[in-house]
Each structure stands twice: as structure tokens, then as C-alpha cells.
Amino acid sequence: MSTFDFGQETEKLLKWLGQYGKDPNGGVSRFLYKPEWVEAQKALEKYMQQAGLLVQYDDVGNLFGRLEGSTYKDETILTGSHVDTVKNGGLYDGQFGIIAGIIALEFLKKEFGQPLRNIEVVSMAEEEGSRFPYVYWGVKNILGIAKREDVEGMVDFDGIPFTEAMRKAGFHFRPEGSIVRNDIKAFLEVHVEQGGVLETEKKSVGVVQHIVGQRRFTVELTGEANHAGTTPMGYRKDALKAASRIICSIMDLAEHYGDPLVATVGKLETTPNIVNVVPGKVLFTLDIRHTHKDVLVSFSDEVTAKMREIAVNTGVGIEIDMWMDAAPVPMDTGIVDVLKRQCEKNGLSYKMMHSGAGHDSQVMAPRIPTAMLFVPSHKGLSHSPLEYTDPCDLGEGVKALVGALYELAYK
Amino acid sequence: MSTFDFGQETEKLLKWLGQYGKDPNGGVSRFLYKPEWVEAQKALEKYMQQAGLLVQYDDVGNLFGRLEGSTYKDETILTGSHVDTVKNGGLYDGQFGIIAGIIALEFLKKEFGQPLRNIEVVSMAEEEGSRFPYVYWGVKNILGIAKREDVEGMVDFDGIPFTEAMRKAGFHFRPEGSIVRNDIKAFLEVHVEQGGVLETEKKSVGVVQHIVGQRRFTVELTGEANHAGTTPMGYRKDALKAASRIICSIMDLAEHYGDPLVATVGKLETTPNIVNVVPGKVLFTLDIRHTHKDVLVSFSDEVTAKMREIAVNTGVGIEIDMWMDAAPVPMDTGIVDVLKRQCEKNGLSYKMMHSGAGHDSQVMAPRIPTAMLFVPSHKGLSHSPLEYTDPCDLGEGVKALVGALYELAYK
């Protein structure tokens, strides 16, 4: 398969698909069920048909292109990703997984003819939660786990109800009790890394072994707002001093634990936030991620104890609220091995790694054997019009996918 | 003078004066040249007249009540404070200094008759800067150092020009080249502490030796905003981590220096301030105060060096902007001694201390021998309807003032 330029073809199709929802000053905004979303799905539908795939939408608008298997007709190998974007996103996040799948299927069909098992590429309706405050609408409907009542009351930023938006785009809720497909035997998602590890380590492809678990906390520190001039240091209950000591200790502990643990204090608000008043209150968020539940738990426990200790020592009150606790999701070791072998067989420069971000694959993985392939994100940039991946790396990612699909569907 | 209840009388008059500008739900708002300000000055004018003082306004509305001296007719001992308040302030800040002066003059006149030198109580027009972005308008006009051009373009929160507000209240600019009075030989200001030191140390009176100098900085840290999940700890340039390390080191250094140094990071803003994004930028303020210029400078220098070092070590850019540099103001040692002796003579529970807040006295002191007396602020509360000082302490403050005025004007 070395004569075909996968990278060039991928880049061409990414630019083509990126026209749907193109922002005036660069970037792409393609929100679930918006006209540009409908146009993108229609364009993909047409392209898939011309490539000789059997094309079908499900009830909610997930689009499937199928290369029918000759032998195991009730077994399907699925690949793809999501077609929606964040506001003013780039050309790669989501749509690269769809384009990679289409190119792979076209290539396999031409090169090797009909597979033993069905291979399908999916353009999933939604993953980002950019229009409505709901994520994974696409994959959750494929798996039959999306709940109608979760979205029924929802409106978008313009006040348009979810249901109305869906109907206008030509889709509807999956009928209650309808049969969920049980033919999907594997799911492979190709995606950009959205981080800088592959580029820094000069690797073209990442084979994902885990998607990290996440815990998110809000921490509120309550001290005493006092006059900055007339309150000696020893009289103060400075909530920002306490917060600073806490953040330092979180960072120290995170560095002590080492990769893949990450801990982020992303949001911090000080009250009253006035130059000459000692801060009486500080509210901050803490986001902790790790590939293994036990480490996530032990780090959270250590950090929580440390926060309480510092609060006592600095004389401020503390409230810690954990409002997100998502377990890590391991990828299927069998499919991970297939991907790894393909990287080796094709002489690709690859790295076994984890995903620090959430993906459709993490919803899929507990139910269907799943794995992911990453390609580098230049400078780690993500959710930005500046997203970029070198065409050579795009091509390497597609090659690994082609090899894995061949392994899974032709043997 | 022990038979007269100075405390009870003071509290009575504070409540009376606090009616002018009383807020519906408690507290006082009396802004420069507003109708309630005019009413307060008129009420004070009437009260002073009834107390047998010679009453006079200057051009801009500072109100003086004079007890004429018999011998040194060109020498005046001045006491008093400002009549304006912050928005929804309390019964003590500013107006206590005026009431204390009036009660002292009434008492001295009754008890000892005519002094050798003139004694005047002044109700100064403005100190807080609550209506217009300008402070010390009252005292600066007494000293002839207010500049017409500084306020001429100013408007208040309702768009009313300074000049119009002043004219409406019946006042005008001090004519160019008019003579500044040179008879004031001493100024004594009685004020609430606005901090919790006297109460904590169970003292009734503070004799102020210095008003602190202040330096204010804005510090901007520039790192890199990155995805909280996909950016390993070692790849980050976290501006909030840098800020936290800096704040800890400022606090450590401030504690190492010890009283009277205070350092406050009162305002802090994080960008983009999102739970799952590593902060790319942090902007914070730093307020440093000390009674001695050399310490203020050496602390600033050490902190600045430390901030730059931490910025380098955490890989973030740093911009440090010092936008305020007010030198400490020592009180006149001669008058400080008079006050101290009066405290001892009257058996008052007193403390030699400094002022961490700004006062009219700091503008007066470089030009006229000046000193201040503090009384406790309950819980250190200031600029609040909850300001409170025990009447016994108010009385002790007035007693010390009476004794000092006697020393300075009758001998």
C-alpha cells in the first residue's frame, strides 16, 4: 500500500469537509443539527455512495457507510469519529477520524475486495456538547443508552429546543424499545492527540491504551476580608494565601506522582478582589486525571487531606465538593495489540500512550472492544482554527488503521 | 475633668451627626457637596456657634470653629477630621475626629476659659474620594496645594461635574494667588484605628508615630493556556502555579520581616479561567506597607527579585509594574510626646503604634507639626455600617485630646 499517498488524500478531504461550517475568519463551527451540520452529513453521504459504500442514517443522524462482508455477515468492524465541532474549531478534531475511515475503506475495497466481516465508517452526530449542554449524543444512540428525557427540555444558546432542532434536521428520537445493533465487534477511532507529547517525542502515531479517569472538585476557602493596611500579618485569615499554599502543594504532589497524573487548577476567583483588601474568600476548581482508578483515588485522598491541613494551619474554612468522578477506561488489549503490530509491520514511528481527553471511544469501550490511534497535534493545539497535523503523520495514522481493519475484517 | 462623661457625650453627637446622609438600611453615605453633606456642615456650623466658637468656611467648604487665643493671636492649634464618608460607611470614620474636637473645645472653654493660642476644630470637606476620583480635597485646600486643574474635568458617578457640584453647594475654587494661612502651628487628628490591634491588645488609645508608606504593583504572568488532560505536568507553563509560588514567597518574606510590614495580594485574575484549561495568564496586585522607607524599598527589591526568579523557574514571562509609591510619613515627635504624656498623666491604657491606612494627617504632616490619636475599631471593622467603638474608649480618646490641646494652647 506504499504507492498511495494517504497523507495527501487525507489533507485534501479534510479541507473539503471543513468547508461545511467554515467561519469567516478561519476555523470551523459545525454544531449538531445546524444547516452546516446537515450539509456536511449530506456531502459525506454522497461521497460514501460514490466510493461504493452502502449508506444509512440511524434515527438521530449518525451516518454509516458500509462495506459488506462475505462470510460473517452479522459481524461488523466499526471505525469513525464525530462530525460536530466546538465553536471555531479546526480541521482535524473529529472529522479526521471520519475521513481516515472513508479513505481506509476505499483503499481496502480497491486493494483487497470484499472483506469477510462488514466494515463500517461512522460519522457520529455529536461529541463536543457545543450546541446543547449534552455530550456523546451520537455514540450513546448507537449503543442505545441515550435518554430521551435528558435532552427533551434542553434549548441551545438561541433558545431553540433540542427536539425542534433534531426534527428540523430530519431526525427523531430512537423509538422506545427498538432493537440496538449487536453486530459491532470492534470499534477503532482515529483522532488527533490534542496534546504535545507525540510531536515532542517525534512520533507519528500513538496507540492509546487507556483513556484517563477524571475527578473534578470545587474548593471554597473562607477567611476574613480585612483592611490591607491596618491588619497586621499575624491577624489575617487570608483565603488567597491559603489557596496559594494549597495550589503549591497540589503541584508538588502531582510532580511527585509523575506521569500520567495531571492536576489542574484552571479557575480561581477571589472575593472581594480589591487591591487593598485581604481576600476573604477564594473559590477554585481542581481537575485530576489518571489512567488508573486506584491512583486517581489515592491522589485525591492525599490532596484532600493536605488541603484540609493547610486550611487549618492558615485559619480558613474549607468546603470541598467533588462534582465529577469518571472512571478511567482501558482500551481492549486485543485490539491494542493489533494496532501495535500494524505500527511495527509498517515501520511506523509510534508510542504506546494514554488519552488525557475524553472521546467517543470511552463510551464505546465498556460495551464494545475498542481502541484508538492518535496522530500528533502541532504545538498541542486543539479546539482552535490553528489545529494542524503534518500530512505525513496523517498518512501514517491512516496506514495503521488500514492494516488493523485488514487484520480484523479480512482474516 | 473626670466628672464629665466624654464617652457618652461623644456617642450622642456621633448619632446626631450620623443622621445627615443616613442610609435606609443603616450606615451613612455623605459624599462631598451632596445635599446631605451640606446639611451636615450647616448643622455643625450651628452647633459650633451655639458652643460659642467663631465659625468660618473657607472657599471650598472646609468648616472651622475657633476659640480665640488671648496672647499668641497668630498661632493656631488645629484639630478635626473629614466630614465625608465612603458609600454606606459607619458612624465613626472621619466624623469622630470632628466631634472629638468640638467636645474638647467646649470643655476647655468652660473649664479653663480663653487659651493663649487660638484653638480651632475643622470639619474637612473631603478625604475618602467616594464621589470623585480625587482624595484629600479638604486638607489640600487648607494647605494651598490642591490644584484646580486636577478636578476641573472630573464628573461623579451620575455625570455631574466637580465644579458644578461645588458651586451648587455654595463653594468655589480658592482664587489663584490667594494667601494660605500660616498661623497653624500644630494639627491633631483623632480617628478610629480601622484595624484590630488596639482591641486585641485591650488598649483604649493609640498614639500614632508613623503613617505607613505604600507601594502598589500589578504583576502579570504569561504562561501557556493548555488542555488540562493532554498536557503532561512537565510540558506546562502554568501561570497560576507560578502565581501561587510567588504569593507563598511574598507571605513567607513578609512574615520573616515581621511587623509593621504588611504585604497583600488582594486582587487576582486568571485567564482563561476555565476548569479544564491550564491558566495561560494571571494578573495580580501587590500592596506593600511599612513605616520606614528603607524597609519598604528593601522588601520591594527582595520580593521583585524573588518573583523574577520564580517566573524563570516555572517558565513563565513576568511584567512588574509599580504604580504607587507613597513614602511613609512620620508624625511630629514633639506632639507625639505631648500626646504620650497626656495618656500617662490621665492613666489611659495606650499603645505607641503606626497607622496602616491613609489619613488627612499624612498630607498635613510634611508641612505642619502633626500627630494622631487612635481609638479601637471593634473587630477591626471599617468603612462599614458595623463600625463600632465602645463609648469608654471614645471618651479616653477625647480626654487625651483635651489634655494635649491644653498643653499646646494654654501654656
Side-chain angles (χ1 to χ4, degrees), chain A residues 284-301:
Chain A
F284 69 84
T285 60
L286 171 61
D287 174 309
I288 302 171
R289 307 190 193 194
H290 196 275
T291 49
H292 291 82
K293 174 99 183 173
D294 54 341
V295 186
L296 198 59
V297 170
S298 76
F299 184 83
S300 306
D301 290 349

Side-chain angles (χ1 to χ4, degrees), chain B residues 343-377:
Chain B
C343 290
E344 275 162 6
K345 199 174 144 190
N346 287 290
L348 307 184
S349 157
Y350 77 100
K351 177 183 168 68
M352 302 308 292
M353 66 186 297
H354 67 274
S355 171
H359 294 287
D360 290 311
S361 287
Q362 80 192 50
V363 183
M364 206 69 103
R367 291 154 190 97
I368 288 165
T370 294
M372 291 192 82
L373 278 171
F374 277 168
V375 294
S377 293

Side-chain angles (χ1 to χ4, degrees), chain A residues 158-401:
Chain A
D158 294 323
I160 298 169
F162 189 99
T163 314
E164 186 186 319
M166 180 166 59
R167 297 238 160 95
K168 226 173 183 170
F171 301 102
H172 52 84
F173 289 116
R174 209 172 61 83
E176 295 282 332
S178 65
I179 292 159
V180 177
R181 48 188 294 189
N182 61 359
D183 60 309
I184 306 171
K185 299 303 169 197
F187 176 61
L188 276 87
E189 185 176 12
V190 187
H191 205 279
V192 283
E193 180 196 345
Q194 301 180 264
V197 174
L198 289 173
E199 182 173 76
T200 306
E201 300 196 7
K202 302 198 189 334
K203 304 285 183 188
S204 292
V205 172
V207 177
V208 176
Q209 294 174 290
H210 295 91
I211 296 177
V212 295
Q214 279 185 53
R215 286 183 157 194
R216 289 190 186 169
F217 300 81
T218 296
V219 180
E220 189 177 273
L221 299 167
T222 307
E224 257 178 38
N226 284 121
H227 192 297
T230 61
T231 317
M233 298 309 281
Y235 286 57
R236 300 183 176 198
K237 293 178 178 175
D238 182 340
L240 185 57
K241 173 181 154 180
S244 298
R245 295 223 188 281
I246 285 171
I247 293 168
C248 288
S249 83
I250 292 170
M251 297 301 141
D252 290 343
L253 197 64
E255 279 155 33
H256 174 72
Y257 267 64
D259 291 332
L261 189 123
V262 285
T264 307
V265 176
K267 191 174 174 180
L268 185 141
E269 262 146 26
T270 303
T271 306
N273 211 33
I274 295 170
V275 58
N276 61 345
V277 179
V278 178
K281 195 166 273 192
V282 167
L283 199 135
F284 69 84
T285 60
L286 171 61
D287 174 309
I288 302 171
R289 307 190 193 194
H290 196 275
T291 49
H292 291 82
K293 174 99 183 173
D294 54 341
V295 186
L296 198 59
V297 170
S298 76
F299 184 83
S300 306
D301 290 349
E302 275 196 69
V303 154
T304 301
K306 193 73 195 164
M307 289 197 286
R308 293 196 192 284
E309 183 192 321
I310 292 170
V312 168
N313 292 344
T314 49
V316 308
I318 187 166
E319 293 277 342
I320 304 172
D321 174 33
M322 181 167 76
W323 49 272
M324 185 200 278
D325 184 14
V329 179
M331 299 291 95
D332 182 84
T333 50
I335 306 186
V336 166
D337 283 345
V338 169
L339 290 171
K340 197 180 160 192
R341 276 202 306 276
Q342 287 308 312
C343 290
E344 275 162 7
K345 201 175 144 189
N346 287 290
L348 307 184
S349 157
Y350 77 101
K351 177 185 168 67
M352 304 307 291
M353 65 187 299
H354 66 275
S355 170
H359 293 287
D360 290 312
S361 287
Q362 80 192 50
V363 183
M364 206 68 102
R367 292 154 189 96
I368 288 165
T370 293
M372 291 192 81
L373 279 171
F374 277 169
V375 294
S377 294
H378 182 50
K379 290 186 180 172
L381 287 169
S382 162
H383 289 182
S384 155
L386 301 175
E387 277 182 359
Y388 178 74
T389 305
D390 188 283
C392 296
D393 294 326
L394 295 173
E396 301 289 76
V398 179
K399 264 187 217 166
L401 176 67

Side-chain angles (χ1 to χ4, degrees), chain B residues 217-375:
Chain B
F217 301 81
T218 296
V219 181
E220 190 177 272
L221 299 166
T222 307
E224 258 177 38
N226 284 122
H227 192 296
T230 62
T231 316
M233 299 309 281
Y235 286 56
R236 300 182 176 198
K237 292 179 180 175
D238 183 340
L240 185 56
K241 173 181 153 180
S244 298
R245 296 224 190 279
I246 285 172
I247 293 168
C248 287
S249 85
I250 292 170
M251 297 301 142
D252 290 343
L253 197 65
E255 279 156 31
H256 174 71
Y257 267 65
D259 291 332
L261 189 122
V262 286
T264 307
V265 176
K267 191 173 173 181
L268 185 142
E269 263 145 25
T270 303
T271 306
N273 212 33
I274 295 170
V275 58
N276 60 346
V277 179
V278 178
K281 195 167 274 195
V282 167
L283 198 136
F284 70 84
T285 59
L286 171 61
D287 174 308
I288 303 170
R289 307 191 193 195
H290 197 275
T291 49
H292 290 82
K293 175 97 183 176
D294 54 340
V295 186
L296 198 59
V297 170
S298 76
F299 184 83
S300 307
D301 289 350
E302 274 196 69
V303 154
T304 302
K306 193 74 195 161
M307 289 197 286
R308 294 197 191 283
E309 184 193 319
I310 292 170
V312 169
N313 292 343
T314 49
V316 308
I318 187 165
E319 293 276 341
I320 304 172
D321 173 34
M322 180 167 76
W323 49 272
M324 185 200 277
D325 184 15
V329 179
M331 300 291 96
D332 181 84
T333 49
I335 306 186
V336 166
D337 283 345
V338 169
L339 290 171
K340 195 180 162 193
R341 276 202 306 277
Q342 287 308 311
C343 290
E344 275 162 6
K345 199 174 144 190
N346 287 290
L348 307 184
S349 157
Y350 77 100
K351 177 183 168 68
M352 302 308 292
M353 66 186 297
H354 67 274
S355 171
H359 294 287
D360 290 311
S361 287
Q362 80 192 50
V363 183
M364 206 69 103
R367 291 154 190 97
I368 288 165
T370 294
M372 291 192 82
L373 278 171
F374 277 168
V375 294

Side-chain angles (χ1 to χ4, degrees), chain B residues 50-163:
Chain B
Q50 286 169 349
L53 304 179
L54 283 171
V55 179
Q56 198 175 355
Y57 287 99
D58 68 5
D59 300 306
V60 302
N62 290 308
L63 170 67
F64 300 85
R66 179 182 179 103
L67 186 58
E68 200 104 52
S70 61
T71 309
Y72 308 107
K73 288 176 184 287
D74 54 353
E75 295 185 13
T76 302
I77 309 302
L78 185 66
T79 188
S81 192
H82 58 96
V83 74
D84 71 317
T85 70
V86 294
K87 187 177 176 179
N88 200 225
L91 279 182
Y92 300 82
D93 190 341
Q95 69 170 27
F96 170 49
I98 302 165
I99 297 299
I102 292 174
I103 292 173
L105 264 66
E106 268 192 290
F107 180 84
L108 286 167
K109 184 169 179 264
K110 263 190 210 142
E111 202 81 351
F112 305 109
Q114 197 178 14
L116 300 181
R117 292 172 189 82
N118 313 309
I119 315 178
E120 284 186 28
V121 54
V122 59
S123 170
M124 280 185 278
E126 190 277 337
E127 186 252 17
E128 298 284 6
S130 302
R131 183 175 182 185
F132 299 96
Y134 189 91
V135 290
Y136 303 126
W137 176 244
V139 66
K140 282 185 169 179
N141 272 285
I142 294 173
L143 296 166
I145 57 171
K147 284 182 193 153
R148 187 180 175 134
E149 55 268 31
D150 286 346
V151 297
E152 254 176 346
M154 274 179 192
V155 294
D156 74 1
F157 33 76
D158 294 323
I160 299 168
F162 190 99
T163 313

